[in-house]
Amino acid sequence: MEHQGLFLILFNIVVFVLLLLDLGVMNKHKGAPTIRHALLSTAFFVLLALLFNAGIWYFRGAKPALEFTAGYLLEESLSIDNLFVFILIFKYFRVPGEHQHRILFWGILGALILRGIFIAAGVTLIHRFHFLIYLFGAFLVFTGIKMILEKDGEQVDPEKNLVLRIFHKFFPVSKHFHHGCFFLRENGVLKATPLFVVLLVVESTDVLFATDSIPAVLSVTLDPFIVYTSNVFAILGLRSLYFAFAAIVSLFRYLHHGVSLILIFVGVKMLTSKMIEIPIGVSLGILAGIITVSIALSVLIPEKKAEITEVNSEK
C-alpha cells in the first residue's frame, strides 16, 4: 500500500507535467489547433495509455491489464458525450476558437481532481454497502434510455445551470472576453469574464458526467488504482480529441446513441452481477463492438436530405 501510494503521487506529478506540456509546448501557437495537430496529440496520449497498460500487464498480470483496457475504453467512449456537450456550450457562449483550449485545460485539470474524489468515495461506499451497485446500475440504465430519447441540444441549457445562476447573483460579470483572461478590473471593480463563466459551466457539467462514468467503470473493477488511472488517461487526451472531434462531429451522428447503449449495457451488467458474471474479455468486445457499429452506421447512413432542406428553409 505504501509503494502504491508513492507511485500514485509520482503518477499525478507526471500527469500534471504532461498537461503543462500539452498547454505550453504542444499548443504554443495562438489559436485553435489544426485537425492534424489535434490528431497527433490524441495519438500521443493513446500511445501513453497503451505503454502504461503494458506496464500493468508486466508488473500485475493479465487480468488487471484487461480491466484497465476495458475501463479506459469505457471512459473514452463516455468522453465522446462530453465532447458533444462542450461543443454546444462553446457555441452557446460564442467562445472564440483561440480561447477554447485554455478553458479545456483548466476544465480537465478540475475534472482530474473531481474524479479522484468521486472514485475514492464510490469504491469505499460499494465495499461497505454492496447494494449500492444495484442503485448505480439502475441509474445508468435510466440515464442511457433518457439519452436515447433526448433530441440534439437538449443535454445542456446553460441558463438552467445552478452554479452559473448562483455565481451571477454574487459576482459581477464583464461582457468582454479580454484576451483570454478569467478576471479583469473595470472602473476599479473586479469582474469575471465570460471565459470564467464558461469554465464554471464546463466544470459543473463534468460533475454530472462523473455521476455516469464513475459508476460505469466500477462495473469493470473495484481496484481504485485501475479505476483512477484508466480515468486519468481517458481524460488526459480529451482536450486534443475535442479539436479533432469538433471538426468532424457531423460525420458521426450515431456515436451519441452508441454511448447511450454502452451506459445501458454497463447498468444491466451491474444489476445482474450476482446472477451472471460477464468476463472482462466479453465486456471489452461488446464495448468495442458498440463503438465500431455506431461509427460504421454514421458513415454508411448519410443524413436525410429532407432534414437538411428543412434546416435551410428555417434559416
Side-chain angles (χ1 to χ4, degrees):
M1 289 295 292
E2 184 179 345
H3 292 296
Q4 184 165 298
L6 179 61
F7 178 81
L8 284 175
I9 292 173
L10 294 174
F11 176 79
N12 286 319
I13 292 174
V14 171
V15 166
F16 185 68
V17 170
L18 286 172
L19 281 173
L20 290 179
L21 286 173
D22 187 33
L23 179 69
V25 178
M26 298 180 188
N27 292 289
K28 60 183 177 181
H29 303 293
K30 291 183 178 180
T34 63
I35 296 178
R36 179 178 177 276
H37 184 252
L39 288 173
L40 287 174
S41 297
T42 301
F44 170 75
F45 286 114
V46 171
L47 179 61
L48 279 183
L50 292 175
L51 291 174
F52 185 82
N53 198 22
I56 293 178
W57 190 296
Y58 180 79
F59 289 104
R60 299 189 62 178
K63 188 174 183 293
L66 286 174
E67 289 176 347
F68 177 88
T69 304
Y72 175 72
L73 185 59
L74 177 61
E75 292 299 321
E76 199 69 72
S77 61
L78 293 178
S79 294
I80 292 171
D81 212 49
N82 295 45
L83 299 181
F84 277 110
V85 174
F86 290 164
I87 290 170
L88 290 173
I89 290 172
F90 289 153
K91 282 185 177 180
Y92 181 89
F93 286 101
R94 296 182 176 86
V95 180
E98 63 267 23
H99 299 326
Q100 293 177 9
H101 69 286
R102 180 173 171 81
I103 294 175
L104 291 172
F105 169 79
W106 290 106
I108 288 170
L109 187 61
L112 290 173
I113 297 171
L114 287 171
R115 297 298 171 93
I117 297 171
F118 272 59
I119 288 166
V123 171
T124 302
L125 286 172
I126 287 180
H127 275 303
R128 292 189 178 183
F129 310 102
H130 187 73
F131 70 89
L132 288 175
I133 198 168
Y134 303 116
L135 294 180
F136 286 157
F139 175 73
L140 291 178
V141 172
F142 169 77
T143 303
I145 294 173
K146 184 172 178 287
M147 284 172 60
I148 289 177
L149 299 177
E150 282 176 345
K151 296 179 181 178
D152 293 339
E154 282 189 349
Q155 290 185 13
V156 57
D157 183 355
E159 293 297 336
K160 295 180 180 179
N161 186 289
L162 181 61
V163 174
L164 181 58
R165 289 164 64 184
I166 293 174
F167 182 78
H168 268 296
K169 287 183 178 180
F170 294 97
F171 207 93
V173 179
S174 170
K175 295 181 180 180
H176 309 290
F177 281 99
H178 197 69
H179 309 297
C181 296
F182 288 133
F183 295 94
L184 58 81
R185 284 194 178 274
E186 288 185 345
N187 301 320
V189 178
L190 181 65
K191 293 183 178 181
T193 66
L195 210 63
F196 185 76
V197 172
V198 177
L199 178 62
L200 280 180
V201 176
V202 168
E203 290 286 14
S204 57
T205 302
D206 186 72
V207 173
L208 297 178
F209 280 118
T211 60
D212 294 339
S213 65
I214 300 305
V217 76
L218 291 177
S219 73
V220 174
T221 178
L222 292 180
D223 184 340
F225 176 80
I226 300 295
V227 175
Y228 178 68
T229 53
S230 62
N231 252 269
V232 168
F233 275 106
I235 295 173
L236 202 54
L238 189 59
R239 194 164 70 95
S240 299
L241 185 61
Y242 166 81
F243 290 104
F245 188 75
I248 57 176
V249 63
S250 59
L251 300 177
F252 302 115
R253 58 200 183 95
Y254 287 113
L255 268 178
H256 179 72
H257 296 84
V259 172
S260 304
L261 291 176
I262 286 174
L263 284 177
I264 293 172
F265 164 71
V266 171
V268 170
K269 181 182 176 184
M270 296 178 86
L271 289 171
T272 60
S273 58
K274 279 291 185 180
M275 298 174 286
I276 304 171
E277 183 176 351
I278 302 176
I280 293 295
V282 175
S283 296
L284 193 56
I286 292 174
L287 294 177
I290 291 174
I291 296 171
T292 302
V293 170
S294 60
I295 292 176
L297 289 175
S298 300
V299 174
L300 296 174
I301 303 176
E303 191 171 3
K304 293 180 181 179
K305 292 184 179 180
E307 295 177 3
I308 298 174
T309 304
E310 185 180 345
V311 172
N312 291 333
S313 64
E314 289 177 358
K315 293 180 180 180

